[in-house]
């Protein structure tokens, strides 16, 4: 059972260095429903201990170290030589049925590799995503959004996840990747299983099968899409490498882009100051998006690394090849580096740091802002219909539903 860690004194610089990984103190269960209900209470209690790293569990019997100090996180993420992202040594001792293994195991892609291998994958991904026409993407998002809003605007109520954000992101991703809807459905179902740790092995298999089907299709019939751009990239990715690049990008879109939009909508509907400013038109949607990336980012705990050897950092020993998880939301709210008015502030870690920076930021912002603006322009009097609940999970920050009410309105027409 997850317990909020008690506030105990930190070890001084003259004390014998300790290891948060080997500590006998109770570990915080990041997968527990109690943690999902109010993670910020846990983060505050962690910081009160005066340490930069806290022992946690990612799943039953899967220990890790959570970084809750902003500067420590940046130091680790900017030192891939000592803190690589390759988990292969760690996963040798992890049981095959471990529910978080599919989210953490080695894959031939940049976020699971190191050195020249990681650089090759990152270059292929970055340059392929860079070929996306953002003006055309704006039109795509608008067309799909209007069609979805028209399907429920006369009802006066909706579940914005099932009726809006999921089908919108699903449709946009299928266009971006040139993916047939039936293939995308397999991918989405598999990703949901992996993120929630429910029958994750089967979800992993569904993703691989779906993306191999897409690769086979695009090798035969290339188009103007990310999949085709990856296939023709000079990195000359083979089928296995293609499957994992696509699984990473599509999976992040279907799960985390959706959460990005939903969490921002919840914030706008429940925050009287900044959120109310967005609804009233006095603040741009971008400010709400960045506030969410500070406080409730879609990936709240991630950016995994595995030290090559035992290493002393912040008066604590970190063992070799054991997972270090950056508490993105916790670090973003570290009082030592932030606080006060964040308008215009982009210093959060939600997009990663250095070589771990997300290459699709511009695209993600555009999709989220367009989706939210289309909805709020069409339904300006939208309100929350019932209190939200959060899906448990060690990595994501995700709602189970977002039920809203609004005055019934006539269908929209595309501009």
């Amino acid at each position: 059972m997850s317990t909020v860690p008690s506030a105990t004194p930190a070890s001084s610089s003259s004390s014998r260095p300790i290891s948060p990984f080997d500590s006998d103190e109770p570990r915080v269960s990041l997968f527990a429903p109690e943690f999902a209900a109010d993670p910020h209470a846990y983060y505050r209690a962690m910081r009160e201990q005066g340490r930069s790293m806290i022992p946690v569990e990612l799943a039953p019997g899967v220990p890790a170290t959570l970084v809750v100090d902003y500067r420590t996180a940046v130091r680790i993420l900017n030192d891939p030589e000592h803190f690589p992202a390759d988990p292969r040594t760690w996963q040798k001792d992890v049981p095959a049925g471990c529910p978080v293994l599919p989210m953490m195991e080695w894959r031939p892609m940049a976020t699971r590799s190191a050195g020249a291998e990681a650089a090759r994958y990152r270059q292929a991904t970055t340059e392929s995503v860079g070929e996306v026409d953002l003006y055309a993407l704006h039109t795509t998002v608008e067309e799909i959004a209007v069609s979805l809003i028209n399907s429920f605007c006369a009802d006066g109520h909706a579940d914005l996840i099932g009726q809006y954000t999921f089908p919108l992101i699903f449709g946009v991703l299928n266009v971006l990747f040139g993916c047939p809807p039936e293939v995308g459905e397999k991918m989405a179902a598999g990703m949901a299983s992996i993120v929630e740790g429910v029958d994750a092995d089967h979800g992993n298999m569904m993703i691989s099968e779906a993306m191999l089907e897409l690769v086979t299709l695009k090798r035969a019939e290339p188009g103007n899409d990310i999949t085709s751009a990856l296939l023709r990239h000079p990195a000359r990715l083979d089928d296995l490498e293609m499957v994992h690049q696509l699984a990473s990008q599509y999976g992040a879109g279907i799960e985390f882009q959706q959460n990005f939009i939903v969490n921002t909508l919840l914030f706008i509907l429940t925050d009287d100051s900044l959120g109310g400013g967005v609804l009233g038109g006095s603040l741009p949607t971008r400010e709400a998006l960045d506030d969410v990336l500070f406080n409730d980012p879609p990936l709240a705990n991630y950016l995994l690394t595995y030290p090559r050897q035992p290493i002393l950092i912040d008066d604590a020993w970190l063992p070799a090849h054991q997972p270090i998880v950056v508490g993105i939301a916790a670090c973003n709210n570290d009082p030592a580096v932030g606080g006060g008015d964040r308008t215009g502030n982009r210093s959060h870690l939600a997009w990663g740091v250095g070589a771990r920076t997300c290459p699709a930021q511009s695209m993600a912002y555009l999709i989220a802002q367009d989706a939210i603006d289309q909805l709020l322009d069409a339904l300006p009097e939208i309100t929350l219909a019932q209190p939200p609940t959060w899906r448990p999970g060690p990595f994501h920050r995700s709602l189970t539903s977002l039920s809203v009410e609004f005055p019934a309105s006539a269908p929209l027409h595309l501009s």
Side-chain angles (χ1 to χ4, degrees):
M1 184 174 180
S2 182
T3 56
V4 178
S6 60
T8 55
S11 60
S12 69
S13 58
S14 61
S15 304
R16 179 179 63 86
I18 61 172
S19 168
F21 194 92
D22 294 330
S23 172
D24 291 331
E25 69 183 280
R27 292 183 174 274
V28 179
S29 299
L30 299 188
F31 56 89
E34 298 89 348
F35 180 84
D38 189 5
H40 291 286
Y42 285 81
Y43 299 144
R44 285 191 296 272
M46 290 174 184
R47 282 193 294 271
E48 287 171 2
Q49 296 186 46
R51 293 183 294 172
S52 61
M53 295 171 289
I54 300 291
V56 297
E57 268 195 323
L58 304 178
V62 183
T65 298
L66 184 72
V67 181
V68 297
D69 179 271
Y70 184 95
R71 292 189 178 95
T72 303
V74 171
R75 173 183 171 186
I76 288 172
L77 293 173
N78 279 320
D79 188 5
E81 179 62 29
H82 292 99
F83 299 95
D86 189 329
R88 277 177 281 194
T89 301
W90 166 77
Q91 73 185 57
K92 290 177 183 176
D93 298 322
V94 178
C98 173
V100 294
L101 184 57
M103 278 288 286
M104 300 175 67
E105 66 184 345
W106 178 81
R107 300 173 187 270
M109 60 190 197
T111 56
R112 295 289 184 278
S113 303
E117 188 180 45
R120 173 173 169 259
Y121 295 137
R122 181 172 177 82
Q123 183 180 24
T125 296
T126 301
E127 292 178 2
S128 299
V129 168
E131 291 190 23
V132 172
D133 183 340
L134 295 182
Y135 293 102
L137 178 59
H138 170 80
T139 301
T140 297
V141 175
E142 180 183 12
E143 290 175 350
I144 296 174
V146 168
S147 175
L148 291 169
I149 293 168
N150 285 347
S151 71
F152 59 74
C153 64
D155 298 337
H157 59 85
D159 168 23
L160 291 183
I161 295 179
Q163 292 179 262
Y164 187 62
T165 56
F166 176 80
L168 187 150
I169 295 303
F170 181 72
V172 169
L173 289 175
N174 287 341
V175 171
L176 285 172
F177 289 91
C179 185
E182 61 273 15
V183 175
E185 287 171 4
K186 295 178 192 176
M187 176 67 205
M191 189 64 191
S193 295
I194 283 181
V195 170
E196 295 186 22
V198 178
D199 201 7
D201 285 338
H202 180 63
N204 212 10
M205 183 178 66
M206 290 177 68
I207 289 173
S208 295
E209 290 176 351
M211 293 299 95
L212 183 57
E213 189 175 343
L214 177 58
V215 169
T216 301
L217 171 65
K218 287 300 169 179
R219 283 199 188 278
E221 302 175 16
N224 184 24
D225 50 65
I226 293 175
T227 309
S228 300
L230 273 170
L231 281 167
R232 63 176 176 262
H233 191 272
R236 300 180 63 85
L237 302 175
D238 62 27
D239 281 359
L240 178 64
E241 292 172 325
M242 281 293 305
V243 163
H244 287 287
Q245 312 316 305
L246 293 172
S248 173
Q249 294 179 47
Y250 198 111
I254 203 69
E255 181 67 31
F256 305 124
Q257 177 78 50
Q258 178 190 182
N259 295 343
F260 186 21
I261 297 170
V262 172
N263 293 359
T264 305
L265 283 169
L266 176 64
F267 172 70
I268 290 171
L269 295 175
T270 55
D271 183 87
D272 291 335
S273 55
L274 200 155
V278 174
L279 278 173
S282 61
L283 283 173
T285 304
R286 175 66 180 262
E287 294 301 331
L289 290 168
D290 276 308
D291 198 281
V292 164
L293 291 175
F294 270 107
N295 292 303
D296 283 314
L299 268 177
N301 305 296
Y302 211 54
L303 299 172
L304 297 153
T305 62
Y306 305 81
R308 293 185 190 277
Q309 61 274 321
I311 188 168
L312 182 65
I313 185 169
D314 291 352
D315 206 29
W317 277 107
L318 297 174
H321 308 299
Q322 299 302 324
I324 299 174
V325 183
V326 173
I328 297 169
C331 291
N332 288 345
N333 289 279
D334 181 353
V337 295
D341 184 7
R342 285 176 169 161
T343 303
N345 191 332
R346 310 284 186 258
S347 64
H348 52 72
L349 301 179
W351 299 121
V353 170
R356 300 291 299 272
T357 302
C358 174
Q361 290 181 51
S362 296
M363 191 164 62
Y365 271 125
L366 184 152
I367 294 170
Q369 184 163 336
D370 282 355
I372 292 168
D373 287 347
Q374 288 291 332
L375 182 73
L376 298 185
D377 286 348
L379 305 171
E381 298 179 64
I382 193 169
T383 58
L384 198 64
Q386 60 187 41
T389 56
W390 298 94
R391 291 162 53 196
F395 305 120
H396 63 238
R397 185 65 171 149
S398 172
L399 288 170
T400 57
S401 64
L402 186 60
S403 298
V404 295
E405 299 172 332
F406 46 85
S409 63
L412 302 171
H413 299 284
L414 281 170
S415 55

